Structure formats: structure tokens, C-alpha cells
Amino acid sequence: MSRRLVRGLALAALSFAFFAALFIWALAERYSRTGPSTADIQLVIPRGAGAEDIARLLVERGVLASPWAFLAGSRWDGTLPRFKAGEYLFAAGVSARAAGELLASGRTVQRRITFAEGLMSAQIVELLRAAEGFDGTLDTVPPEGSLLPETYFYSWGEPRGRTLERAQRAMRETVAELWEKRAPDLPLATPAEAVVLASIVERETAHADERGRVAAVFVNRLRRKMRLQADPTVAYGLSPGVPLGRPLSRADLDTRHAWNTYAIEGLPPTPIANPGRAALAAVLNPPADDALYFVADGEGRHVFARTLPEHNRNVARLREIERARAAGQR
């Protein structure tokens, strides 16, 4: 082989090495360069999407400027085979490298849904049906009182039924835990009875600082074999699973049904809503309180009484407030 040929081959090899190094440097620079987005971008990578589809979507949504560095770089560093479908939040200016690492990590956006205390099971099912990002249908409504009101996190595409199952499991575990720590000599024979009473407490007051006193009143009444006389139970019996949507009338209170605690002794047959942990804790460990009655105070709260004459005075005061307001609206 002539020297000229050897020199030529060496020069070609050097040139190739130089341009290869230049290409690798350019690729690495483009792969790590700040991206074009000026704000966070949240988007869903669909199941079954290939690498090219993902790259095209990232470019279309403004996460990346071009697909080639993303595809070549993610193949080179091994992240591409580990891309996972789901909903991701790409930070403003994210590089192609960081975008690929995020997709390979599976750190999807955590959505949340909150079930407020005191909602009926049908209302919770409707919230799940309307919530964005879930998959699947819900064909049945769980029993009243079987779902723990709480904030639940989920990822895009998660079956609706899975969150419902989590809420049921959370209720079972919470009731079991609190039942073990219950006060002695409660007039509640089973955990199921505790849920029934807690649901009544939940519907009677929206104020956290009143739950304990309301629970104490009902526990005191059960101990004395007094009827609970709870308006929310009457409303539930008239419209099971659906809010009644109007004030109770005298005729409503006189209507006999299994949930009318003005007519029946003890607890109604089922919960009237889904109570939260605080209401469950209140009925299983009520504060020391000898009140037997409570009534609205006209300002959104309640006033409590130990005796019937005291309670009657509180009721008369409420009626005066209601009459004055009605007169003022004429």
C-alpha cells in the first residue's frame, strides 16, 4: 500500500471521527438545550403511542422544537424503551433530555377528587361519573354509609371503580380503628350502628366544633330511651339517596316510615349519608355533656339545652327570629 493511500485513509478516518464527534456534540447540545415552552404544559400520552407519535405530539404542543434530537438522544441514553403512557406536566423550558427522563420515570400528574362529609352515596357516584380523567363506568351505587369522605388522588385513565373501592376500604378501616378505641358503655351495639349515628350527626351540623356536642346529645338520648327526633332522618326517608330539596313540613314529621326518628325508637335501619372520620370519632368518643336537646340559633349554628323548658325557650326564640325575618322580607 502506497504512502499516499495510507495518508488518504488516515485523513478520511480523522475527518470521519471529527464529523462524528461534531454530530455527537450537536446532538448532545440539542438534547440538553432549553426547550421552546414558556409555561408549564400538561398533556396526555395515550396508551399504545409509539416513539415517533410521542415526539410528534410533544412538538405539536410546543414542548419540543423538533423531534430528531429527542428520538436520537432517548435511544442513545436508553430512556426511549421505558416511556410510559399517562398524563404528564412538562415544566416551562424543559429540554428534550428532561422530557424523555420524565416519560421514562412514570411520574404522572396526580389528580384529586374530594368527597365532602355528609354526601349520600348516589351523590359521590355522580361526582365520580362527572370527574375528568377517569375511565370506565359505574353501574351501581354502594350502600349508604360505606364510603369514607376524603380527598383521593388518581392518575389519568384510572378506572372509576378503583377510587370507589378505595373509599369503601378506607371506611372499613377507619370504622374498625375507631371502634377499637371507643368509649365504654356506649348505647351502640355494633360498628354499623356507629356509622348510622355518625351519619345523622354529619347531616345535623356543618360546623366541626359542634359535632361533639351533637353526638353527645344523641348518645344521651339513646341511653335514656328517648327518640332522636332528628330532622335529617325524616328528610332521608322521604327521599332516600337524593336530597329532599325543600324544608320539612309538619305533615312530613307526622309521616310514618322507617327513618322517621320522631316516630321510631332508637336508630333508623341504615345510615342517611356518608360520615367523615371526625363524626365517627365524635359518636364513639363523645365529650362529657349532659345536653339532651338542640335547635338552630337562627345564625347557622345551634343552641343546646339540658331541660325541656330550656329547649322550649330556645325554640320560641328561633321562631321569633324567623317571624322577624319573614316580616322584613314583605
Side-chain angles (χ1 to χ4, degrees):
M1 186 180 295
S2 68
R3 275 187 202 173
R4 182 174 297 178
L5 181 57
V6 170
R7 261 193 236 105
L9 290 173
L11 184 58
L14 287 172
S15 298
F16 177 81
F18 172 77
F19 285 110
L22 186 62
F23 173 79
I24 292 172
W25 175 84
L27 172 62
E29 193 276 333
R30 289 292 297 271
Y31 191 45
S32 302
R33 180 190 300 176
T34 299
S37 60
T38 57
D40 295 351
I41 297 174
Q42 190 165 316
L43 73 101
V44 175
I45 305 300
R47 291 190 183 96
E52 288 77 12
D53 298 323
I54 294 173
R56 189 181 308 112
L57 178 61
L58 293 175
V59 172
E60 289 174 355
R61 292 295 301 273
V63 176
L64 303 178
S66 65
W68 73 269
F70 171 75
L71 291 170
S74 57
R75 283 193 180 95
W76 177 66
D77 65 13
T79 55
L80 188 146
R82 296 185 283 120
F83 286 174
K84 300 175 182 67
E87 185 177 24
Y88 293 89
L89 180 65
F90 296 93
V94 66
S95 66
R97 179 191 296 276
E101 290 171 349
L102 179 61
L103 291 171
S105 74
R107 293 193 303 273
T108 56
V109 171
Q110 289 295 288
R111 290 174 169 256
R112 67 179 67 193
I113 186 169
T114 298
F115 306 142
E117 292 92 342
L119 288 180
M120 299 177 197
S121 293
Q123 292 175 300
I124 289 176
V125 167
E126 284 307 309
L127 284 176
L128 274 168
R129 285 172 176 161
E132 183 185 35
F134 280 112
D135 193 15
T137 60
L138 295 174
D139 300 321
T140 60
V141 175
E144 208 72 80
S146 66
L147 305 170
L148 185 69
E150 185 60 87
T151 295
Y152 295 92
F153 293 90
Y154 67 97
S155 298
W156 182 278
E158 182 173 310
R160 286 177 170 83
R162 186 178 300 167
T163 295
L164 210 58
E165 291 168 1
R166 288 165 57 201
Q168 290 178 303
R169 182 171 61 252
M171 178 61 89
R172 290 194 299 269
E173 292 173 351
T174 299
V175 172
E177 173 198 341
L178 295 176
W179 180 257
E180 289 299 315
K181 301 173 183 177
R182 69 189 184 280
D185 303 322
L186 287 175
L188 300 169
T190 64
E193 289 189 356
V195 176
V196 173
L197 185 56
S199 73
I200 300 173
V201 170
E202 201 73 87
R203 296 295 293 176
E204 281 284 10
T205 180
H207 297 281
D209 61 336
E210 286 189 344
R211 284 196 187 102
R213 294 204 74 185
V214 171
V217 167
F218 287 140
V219 169
N220 291 342
R221 293 178 74 90
L222 288 172
R223 283 186 174 133
R224 289 164 175 76
K225 308 300 182 185
M226 297 172 67
R227 292 176 180 174
L228 295 184
Q229 296 183 320
D231 289 1
T233 66
V234 179
Y236 185 85
L238 294 171
S239 182
V242 181
L244 184 59
R246 61 171 176 81
L248 290 174
S249 66
R250 182 72 252 178
D252 292 333
L253 298 180
D254 293 336
T255 301
R256 295 192 67 85
H257 53 72
W259 287 268
N260 188 339
T261 52
Y262 285 84
I264 67 169
E265 307 290 337
L267 296 166
T270 70
I272 62 171
N274 290 280
R277 182 184 180 92
L280 290 162
V283 302
L284 289 171
N285 281 280
D289 195 316
D290 55 1
L292 289 170
Y293 308 89
F294 63 89
V295 68
D297 65 358
E299 302 295 335
R301 298 180 66 83
H302 294 88
V303 57
F304 296 80
R306 293 178 297 168
T307 66
L308 184 57
E310 182 185 359
H311 175 62
N312 288 337
R313 289 193 294 273
N314 292 335
V315 172
R317 191 175 304 117
L318 174 64
R319 298 293 174 256
E320 290 176 7
I321 293 171
E322 291 174 340
R323 282 193 294 271
R325 286 179 178 167
Q329 291 174 357
R330 293 173 187 165

Coordinates of all heavy atoms in Angstrom, one line a residue, residues 215-299:
A215 N -73.2 14.9 68.9 CA -73.1 13.5 69.1 C -73.4 13.1 70.6 O -74.1 12.1 70.8 CB -71.6 13.0 68.8
A216 N -73.0 14.0 71.5 CA -73.3 13.8 72.9 C -74.8 13.8 73.2 O -75.3 13.0 73.9 CB -72.6 14.8 73.8
V217 N -75.5 14.7 72.5 CA -77.0 14.8 72.7 C -77.6 13.5 72.3 O -78.4 12.9 73.0 CB -77.6 16.0 71.9 CG1 -79.1 15.9 71.8 CG2 -77.2 17.3 72.6
F218 N -77.2 13.0 71.1 CA -77.9 11.8 70.6 C -77.5 10.6 71.5 O -78.3 9.7 71.7 CB -77.5 11.5 69.1 CG -78.1 12.5 68.2 CD1 -77.4 13.0 67.1 CD2 -79.5 12.8 68.3 CE1 -78.1 13.9 66.2 CE2 -80.1 13.7 67.4 CZ -79.4 14.2 66.4
V219 N -76.3 10.5 71.9 CA -75.9 9.4 72.8 C -76.6 9.5 74.1 O -77.1 8.4 74.6 CB -74.3 9.4 73.0 CG1 -73.9 8.5 74.1 CG2 -73.6 9.0 71.8
N220 N -76.8 10.7 74.6 CA -77.5 10.8 75.9 C -79.0 10.4 75.7 O -79.6 9.7 76.6 CB -77.5 12.3 76.3 CG -76.1 12.7 76.8 OD1 -75.3 11.9 77.1 ND2 -75.9 14.0 76.9
R221 N -79.6 10.7 74.5 CA -81.0 10.4 74.3 C -81.1 8.9 74.1 O -82.1 8.3 74.6 CB -81.5 11.1 73.1 CG -81.6 12.6 73.3 CD -82.1 13.4 72.0 NE -83.5 13.2 71.8 CZ -84.5 14.0 72.3 NH1 -84.1 15.0 73.0 NH2 -85.7 13.7 72.0
L222 N -80.2 8.2 73.4 CA -80.2 6.8 73.3 C -80.1 6.1 74.6 O -80.8 5.1 74.9 CB -79.1 6.3 72.4 CG -79.3 6.6 70.9 CD1 -78.0 6.2 70.1 CD2 -80.5 5.9 70.3
R223 N -79.3 6.6 75.5 CA -79.1 6.0 76.8 C -80.4 6.1 77.6 O -80.7 5.2 78.4 CB -78.0 6.7 77.6 CG -76.6 6.3 77.1 CD -75.5 6.9 78.0 NE -74.2 6.4 77.7 CZ -73.1 7.1 77.5 NH1 -73.2 8.4 77.6 NH2 -72.0 6.6 77.3
R224 N -81.2 7.2 77.4 CA -82.4 7.4 78.2 C -83.6 6.8 77.4 O -84.8 7.1 77.9 CB -82.6 8.9 78.5 CG -81.6 9.4 79.5 CD -81.6 10.9 79.4 NE -80.7 11.5 80.5 CZ -79.4 11.5 80.5 NH1 -78.8 10.9 79.5 NH2 -78.7 12.0 81.5
K225 N -83.4 6.1 76.3 CA -84.5 5.6 75.5 C -85.4 6.7 75.0 O -86.6 6.4 74.8 CB -85.3 4.6 76.3 CG -84.5 3.5 77.0 CD -83.8 2.6 76.0 CE -83.0 1.5 76.8 NZ -82.1 0.7 75.9
M226 N -84.8 7.9 74.7 CA -85.6 9.0 74.1 C -85.5 8.9 72.6 O -84.4 8.4 72.1 CB -85.1 10.3 74.6 CG -85.2 10.5 76.1 SD -84.3 12.0 76.6 CE -85.3 13.3 75.8
R227 N -86.5 9.3 71.9 CA -86.4 9.3 70.5 C -85.4 10.4 70.0 O -85.3 11.4 70.6 CB -87.8 9.5 69.9 CG -88.7 8.4 70.1 CD -90.1 8.6 69.6 NE -91.0 7.5 69.9 CZ -92.3 7.4 69.6 NH1 -92.9 8.5 69.1 NH2 -93.0 6.3 69.9
L228 N -84.7 10.1 68.9 CA -83.7 11.0 68.5 C -84.3 12.3 67.9 O -83.7 13.4 68.0 CB -82.8 10.4 67.4 CG -82.0 9.2 67.8 CD1 -81.1 8.7 66.7 CD2 -81.1 9.5 69.0
Q229 N -85.4 12.2 67.3 CA -86.1 13.4 66.7 C -85.2 14.2 65.9 O -85.0 15.4 66.1 CB -86.8 14.2 67.8 CG -87.9 13.4 68.6 CD -88.5 14.3 69.6 OE1 -87.9 15.1 70.3 NE2 -89.8 14.1 69.8
A230 N -84.5 13.6 64.9 CA -83.6 14.2 64.0 C -84.2 14.5 62.7 O -84.6 13.6 62.0 CB -82.3 13.4 63.8
D231 N -84.3 15.8 62.3 CA -85.0 16.2 61.0 C -84.3 15.5 59.8 O -85.0 15.1 58.9 CB -85.0 17.7 60.9 CG -85.9 18.4 61.8 OD1 -86.6 17.7 62.6 OD2 -86.0 19.6 61.8
P232 N -83.0 15.4 59.8 CA -82.4 14.8 58.5 C -82.8 13.4 58.3 O -82.8 12.9 57.1 CB -80.9 14.9 58.8 CG -80.7 16.1 59.8 CD -81.9 16.0 60.7
T233 N -83.1 12.6 59.3 CA -83.6 11.3 59.1 C -85.0 11.2 58.4 O -85.2 10.4 57.6 CB -83.6 10.5 60.4 OG1 -84.6 11.0 61.3 CG2 -82.3 10.5 61.1
V234 N -85.8 12.2 58.8 CA -87.1 12.3 58.2 C -87.0 12.6 56.7 O -87.6 12.0 55.9 CB -88.0 13.4 58.9 CG1 -89.3 13.5 58.3 CG2 -88.1 13.0 60.4
A235 N -86.1 13.6 56.4 CA -85.9 14.0 55.0 C -85.4 12.8 54.2 O -85.8 12.6 53.1 CB -84.9 15.2 55.0
Y236 N -84.5 12.0 54.8 CA -83.9 10.9 54.0 C -85.0 9.9 53.7 O -85.1 9.3 52.6 CB -82.8 10.2 54.8 CG -82.1 9.1 54.1 CD1 -81.1 9.4 53.2 CD2 -82.5 7.8 54.2 CE1 -80.5 8.4 52.4 CE2 -81.9 6.8 53.5 CZ -80.9 7.1 52.6 OH -80.3 6.1 51.9
G237 N -85.9 9.6 54.7 CA -86.9 8.6 54.5 C -87.9 9.1 53.4 O -88.5 8.2 52.7
L238 N -88.1 10.4 53.3 CA -89.0 10.9 52.2 C -88.4 10.8 50.9 O -89.1 10.8 49.8 CB -89.4 12.3 52.6 CG -90.3 12.5 53.8 CD1 -90.4 14.0 54.2 CD2 -91.6 11.8 53.7
S239 N -87.0 10.9 50.8 CA -86.3 10.9 49.5 C -85.0 10.2 49.7 O -83.9 10.8 49.7 CB -86.1 12.4 49.1 OG -85.4 12.5 47.9
P240 N -85.0 8.9 49.8 CA -83.8 8.1 50.0 C -82.7 8.3 48.9 O -83.1 8.1 47.8 CB -84.3 6.6 50.1 CG -85.7 6.7 50.4 CD -86.2 8.0 49.8
G241 N -81.5 8.6 49.3 CA -80.4 8.7 48.4 C -80.4 10.0 47.6 O -79.4 10.2 46.8
V242 N -81.4 10.9 47.7 CA -81.5 12.1 46.9 C -81.9 13.2 47.9 O -82.8 13.1 48.7 CB -82.5 12.0 45.8 CG1 -82.5 13.3 45.0 CG2 -82.2 10.8 44.9
P243 N -81.2 14.4 47.9 CA -81.6 15.5 48.8 C -83.0 15.8 48.6 O -83.5 15.9 47.4 CB -80.6 16.6 48.4 CG -79.4 15.9 47.8 CD -80.0 14.7 47.1
L244 N -83.8 16.1 49.7 CA -85.2 16.4 49.6 C -85.4 17.7 48.8 O -86.4 17.8 48.1 CB -85.8 16.5 51.0 CG -87.3 16.7 51.1 CD1 -88.1 15.6 50.4 CD2 -87.7 16.8 52.5
G245 N -84.6 18.7 49.0 CA -84.6 19.9 48.3 C -85.7 20.9 48.7 O -86.0 21.9 48.0
R246 N -86.2 20.7 49.9 CA -87.2 21.7 50.5 C -87.2 21.5 52.0 O -86.8 20.5 52.5 CB -88.6 21.4 49.9 CG -89.1 20.1 50.2 CD -90.6 20.0 49.8 NE -91.1 18.6 50.0 CZ -91.5 18.1 51.2 NH1 -91.5 18.9 52.3 NH2 -92.0 16.9 51.3
P247 N -87.7 22.5 52.7 CA -87.8 22.4 54.2 C -88.9 21.3 54.5 O -89.8 21.1 53.8 CB -88.2 23.8 54.6 CG -87.9 24.7 53.5 CD -88.0 23.9 52.2
L248 N -88.7 20.8 55.7 CA -89.7 19.8 56.2 C -90.9 20.5 56.7 O -90.9 21.6 57.2 CB -89.1 19.0 57.4 CG -88.0 18.0 57.0 CD1 -87.5 17.4 58.3 CD2 -88.5 16.9 56.1
S249 N -92.1 19.9 56.5 CA -93.3 20.4 56.9 C -93.8 19.6 58.1 O -93.2 18.6 58.5 CB -94.4 20.3 55.8 OG -94.7 19.0 55.5
R250 N -94.8 20.1 58.8 CA -95.4 19.4 59.9 C -95.9 18.0 59.5 O -95.8 17.0 60.2 CB -96.6 20.2 60.5 CG -97.3 19.6 61.7 CD -96.4 19.7 62.9 NE -95.9 18.4 63.3 CZ -95.0 18.2 64.3 NH1 -94.6 19.3 65.0 NH2 -94.6 17.0 64.7
A251 N -96.5 18.0 58.3 CA -97.0 16.7 57.7 C -95.9 15.8 57.5 O -96.0 14.5 57.7 CB -97.8 17.0 56.4
D252 N -94.7 16.3 57.1 CA -93.5 15.4 56.9 C -93.2 14.7 58.2 O -92.8 13.5 58.3 CB -92.4 16.2 56.4 CG -92.5 16.7 55.0 OD1 -93.3 16.0 54.2 OD2 -91.9 17.7 54.6
L253 N -93.1 15.5 59.3 CA -92.8 14.9 60.6 C -93.8 13.9 61.1 O -93.4 13.0 61.9 CB -92.6 16.1 61.6 CG -91.5 17.1 61.3 CD1 -91.5 18.2 62.4 CD2 -90.2 16.5 61.2
D254 N -95.0 14.0 60.6 CA -96.0 13.1 61.0 C -96.1 11.8 60.1 O -96.9 10.9 60.4 CB -97.4 13.8 61.1 CG -97.5 14.8 62.1 OD1 -96.7 14.7 63.1 OD2 -98.3 15.8 62.0
T255 N -95.4 11.9 59.0 CA -95.4 10.7 58.1 C -94.6 9.6 58.6 O -93.4 9.7 59.0 CB -94.8 11.1 56.7 OG1 -95.6 12.2 56.2 CG2 -94.8 10.0 55.7
R256 N -95.2 8.4 58.8 CA -94.5 7.3 59.3 C -93.7 6.5 58.3 O -94.2 6.2 57.2 CB -95.5 6.3 60.0 CG -96.3 6.9 61.2 CD -97.1 5.8 61.9 NE -96.2 4.9 62.5 CZ -95.6 5.1 63.8 NH1 -95.9 6.2 64.4 NH2 -94.8 4.2 64.3
H257 N -92.4 6.3 58.6 CA -91.6 5.5 57.8 C -90.4 5.1 58.7 O -90.2 5.6 59.8 CB -91.1 6.2 56.5 CG -90.4 7.6 56.7 ND1 -89.2 7.7 57.3 CD2 -90.9 8.8 56.5 CE1 -88.9 9.0 57.4 NE2 -89.9 9.7 56.9
A258 N -89.6 4.2 58.1 CA -88.5 3.5 59.0 C -87.5 4.5 59.4 O -86.7 4.2 60.4 CB -87.9 2.4 58.2
W259 N -87.3 5.7 58.8 CA -86.3 6.6 59.1 C -86.8 7.8 60.0 O -86.0 8.7 60.3 CB -85.6 7.2 57.9 CG -84.7 6.1 57.2 CD1 -83.4 5.9 57.4 CD2 -85.1 5.2 56.2 NE1 -82.9 4.9 56.6 CE2 -83.9 4.4 55.9 CE3 -86.3 4.9 55.6 CZ2 -83.9 3.4 55.0 CZ3 -86.3 3.9 54.7 CH2 -85.1 3.1 54.4
N260 N -88.1 7.8 60.3 CA -88.7 8.9 61.0 C -88.4 8.8 62.5 O -89.1 8.0 63.2 CB -90.2 9.0 60.8 CG -90.8 10.3 61.4 OD1 -90.2 10.9 62.3 ND2 -91.9 10.7 60.9
T261 N -87.3 9.4 63.0 CA -86.9 9.2 64.3 C -87.8 10.0 65.3 O -87.5 10.0 66.5 CB -85.4 9.7 64.5 OG1 -85.2 11.0 63.9 CG2 -84.5 8.7 63.8
Y262 N -88.8 10.7 64.8 CA -89.8 11.3 65.7 C -90.9 10.2 66.0 O -91.6 10.3 67.0 CB -90.6 12.4 65.0 CG -89.8 13.7 64.9 CD1 -88.9 13.9 63.9 CD2 -90.0 14.7 65.9 CE1 -88.1 15.1 63.9 CE2 -89.2 15.9 65.9 CZ -88.3 16.1 64.9 OH -87.6 17.2 64.8
A263 N -90.9 9.1 65.2 CA -91.9 8.1 65.4 C -91.3 6.7 65.9 O -92.0 6.0 66.6 CB -92.6 7.8 64.1
I264 N -90.0 6.5 65.5 CA -89.4 5.2 65.9 C -88.5 5.3 67.1 O -88.1 6.4 67.4 CB -88.6 4.6 64.7 CG1 -87.4 5.5 64.4 CG2 -89.4 4.4 63.4 CD1 -86.3 4.9 63.5
E265 N -88.3 4.2 67.7 CA -87.4 4.2 68.9 C -86.0 3.8 68.3 O -85.8 3.1 67.4 CB -87.8 3.1 69.9 CG -89.2 3.2 70.3 CD -89.5 4.3 71.3 OE1 -88.5 4.8 71.9 OE2 -90.6 4.8 71.3
G266 N -85.0 4.5 68.9 CA -83.6 4.1 68.5 C -83.2 4.6 67.2 O -83.7 5.7 66.7
L267 N -82.3 3.9 66.6 CA -81.7 4.3 65.3 C -82.5 3.9 64.1 O -83.2 2.8 64.2 CB -80.3 3.7 65.2 CG -79.3 4.2 66.2 CD1 -78.0 3.3 66.2 CD2 -78.8 5.6 66.0
P268 N -82.4 4.6 63.0 CA -83.1 4.1 61.7 C -82.3 2.9 61.2 O -81.2 2.6 61.7 CB -82.9 5.4 60.8 CG -81.8 6.1 61.4 CD -81.8 5.9 62.8
P269 N -82.8 2.2 60.2 CA -82.2 1.0 59.7 C -80.9 1.1 59.0 O -80.1 0.2 58.9 CB -83.3 0.4 58.8 CG -84.1 1.6 58.4 CD -84.1 2.5 59.5
T270 N -80.7 2.3 58.4 CA -79.4 2.5 57.6 C -78.9 3.9 57.9 O -79.6 4.8 58.4 CB -79.7 2.4 56.1 OG1 -80.5 3.5 55.7 CG2 -80.5 1.1 55.8
P271 N -77.6 4.1 57.5 CA -77.1 5.5 57.5 C -77.9 6.3 56.5 O -78.6 5.8 55.6 CB -75.7 5.3 57.0 CG -75.3 3.9 57.3 CD -76.6 3.1 57.1
I272 N -77.9 7.6 56.8 CA -78.6 8.6 55.9 C -77.6 9.3 55.0 O -78.0 10.2 54.2 CB -79.4 9.5 56.6 CG1 -78.6 10.4 57.6 CG2 -80.5 8.8 57.4 CD1 -79.4 11.5 58.3
A273 N -76.3 9.1 55.1 CA -75.2 9.7 54.4 C -73.9 9.0 54.7 O -73.9 8.0 55.4 CB -75.1 11.2 54.7
N274 N -72.8 9.6 54.1 CA -71.5 9.0 54.4 C -70.8 9.9 55.4 O -70.4 11.0 55.0 CB -70.7 8.9 53.1 CG -71.3 7.8 52.2 OD1 -71.0 6.6 52.4 ND2 -72.1 8.2 51.2
P275 N -70.6 9.5 56.6 CA -70.0 10.3 57.6 C -68.5 10.3 57.5 O -67.9 9.3 57.1 CB -70.4 9.7 59.0 CG -70.6 8.3 58.6 CD -71.1 8.2 57.2
G276 N -67.8 11.4 57.9 CA -66.4 11.5 57.8 C -65.8 11.0 59.1 O -66.5 10.6 60.1
R277 N -64.5 11.0 59.2 CA -63.8 10.4 60.3 C -64.1 11.2 61.6 O -64.3 10.6 62.7 CB -62.3 10.5 60.1 CG -61.4 9.9 61.2 CD -59.9 10.1 61.0 NE -59.2 9.5 62.1 CZ -58.8 8.3 62.1 NH1 -59.0 7.4 61.1 NH2 -58.1 7.8 63.2
A278 N -64.2 12.5 61.5 CA -64.5 13.3 62.7 C -65.9 13.0 63.3 O -66.0 12.9 64.5 CB -64.4 14.8 62.4
A279 N -66.9 12.8 62.5 CA -68.2 12.5 63.0 C -68.2 11.1 63.6 O -68.8 10.8 64.7 CB -69.2 12.5 61.9
L280 N -67.5 10.1 63.0 CA -67.3 8.8 63.6 C -66.6 8.8 64.9 O -67.1 8.2 65.9 CB -66.6 7.9 62.6 CG -67.3 7.5 61.3 CD1 -66.3 7.0 60.3 CD2 -68.4 6.4 61.6
A281 N -65.6 9.6 65.0 CA -64.9 9.7 66.3 C -65.7 10.4 67.3 O -65.7 10.0 68.5 CB -63.6 10.6 66.1
A282 N -66.6 11.3 66.9 CA -67.4 12.0 67.9 C -68.4 11.1 68.5 O -68.7 11.2 69.7 CB -68.1 13.2 67.2
V283 N -69.1 10.2 67.7 CA -70.1 9.3 68.3 C -69.4 8.2 69.1 O -70.1 7.7 70.0 CB -71.0 8.8 67.2 CG1 -71.7 9.9 66.5 CG2 -70.3 7.8 66.3
L284 N -68.2 7.8 68.8 CA -67.5 6.7 69.5 C -66.8 7.2 70.8 O -66.5 6.4 71.6 CB -66.6 6.0 68.6 CG -67.3 5.1 67.5 CD1 -66.4 4.6 66.5 CD2 -68.1 4.0 68.2
N285 N -66.5 8.5 70.8 CA -65.9 9.1 72.0 C -66.5 10.5 72.2 O -65.8 11.5 72.1 CB -64.4 9.2 71.9 CG -63.7 7.9 72.1 OD1 -63.5 7.5 73.3 ND2 -63.4 7.2 71.1
P286 N -67.8 10.6 72.6 CA -68.5 11.9 72.7 C -67.9 12.6 74.0 O -67.5 11.9 74.9 CB -69.9 11.5 72.9 CG -69.9 10.1 73.4 CD -68.7 9.4 72.8
P287 N -67.9 13.9 73.9 CA -67.5 14.7 75.1 C -68.5 14.5 76.3 O -69.6 14.2 76.1 CB -67.4 16.1 74.6 CG -68.4 16.1 73.5 CD -68.4 14.8 72.8
A288 N -68.0 14.8 77.5 CA -68.9 14.8 78.6 C -69.8 16.0 78.5 O -69.4 17.1 78.6 CB -68.1 14.8 79.9
D289 N -71.1 15.8 78.3 CA -72.1 16.8 78.1 C -73.4 16.3 78.5 O -73.8 15.2 78.0 CB -72.0 17.3 76.7 CG -72.7 18.6 76.4 OD1 -73.8 18.8 77.0 OD2 -72.2 19.5 75.7
D290 N -74.2 17.0 79.3 CA -75.5 16.5 79.7 C -76.6 17.1 78.9 O -77.8 17.0 79.3 CB -75.7 16.7 81.2 CG -75.5 18.2 81.6 OD1 -75.2 19.0 80.8 OD2 -75.6 18.5 82.9
A291 N -76.4 17.7 77.8 CA -77.4 18.3 77.0 C -78.3 17.2 76.4 O -77.7 16.1 76.0 CB -76.8 19.2 75.9
L292 N -79.6 17.4 76.3 CA -80.5 16.5 75.7 C -81.2 17.0 74.4 O -81.9 16.3 73.8 CB -81.5 16.0 76.7 CG -81.0 15.1 77.8 CD1 -82.1 14.9 78.9 CD2 -80.6 13.8 77.3
Y293 N -81.0 18.3 74.2 CA -81.8 19.0 73.1 C -80.8 20.0 72.4 O -79.9 20.5 73.0 CB -83.0 19.8 73.7 CG -83.9 19.0 74.5 CD1 -83.7 18.9 75.9 CD2 -85.0 18.3 74.0 CE1 -84.5 18.2 76.7 CE2 -85.8 17.6 74.8 CZ -85.6 17.5 76.2 OH -86.4 16.8 77.0
F294 N -81.1 20.2 71.2 CA -80.5 21.4 70.5 C -81.5 21.8 69.4 O -82.3 21.1 68.9 CB -79.1 21.0 69.9 CG -79.1 19.9 68.8 CD1 -79.3 20.2 67.5 CD2 -78.9 18.6 69.2 CE1 -79.3 19.3 66.5 CE2 -78.9 17.6 68.2 CZ -79.1 17.9 66.9
V295 N -81.3 23.1 69.0 CA -82.1 23.7 67.9 C -81.3 24.8 67.3 O -80.3 25.3 67.8 CB -83.4 24.3 68.5 CG1 -83.1 25.5 69.4 CG2 -84.4 24.6 67.4
A296 N -81.6 25.1 66.0 CA -80.9 26.1 65.3 C -81.0 27.5 66.0 O -82.0 27.7 66.7 CB -81.5 26.3 63.9
D297 N -80.0 28.2 66.0 CA -80.0 29.6 66.6 C -80.4 30.7 65.7 O -80.4 31.9 66.1 CB -78.6 29.8 67.3 CG -77.5 30.0 66.3 OD1 -77.8 29.9 65.0 OD2 -76.4 30.3 66.7
G298 N -80.7 30.4 64.5 CA -81.1 31.4 63.5 C -79.9 32.0 62.8 O -80.1 32.9 61.9
E299 N -78.7 31.7 63.2 CA -77.5 32.2 62.6 C -76.6 31.1 61.9 O -75.4 31.4 61.7 CB -76.6 33.0 63.6 CG -77.4 34.1 64.3 CD -77.7 35.3 63.3 OE1 -77.0 35.4 62.3 OE2 -78.7 36.0 63.5

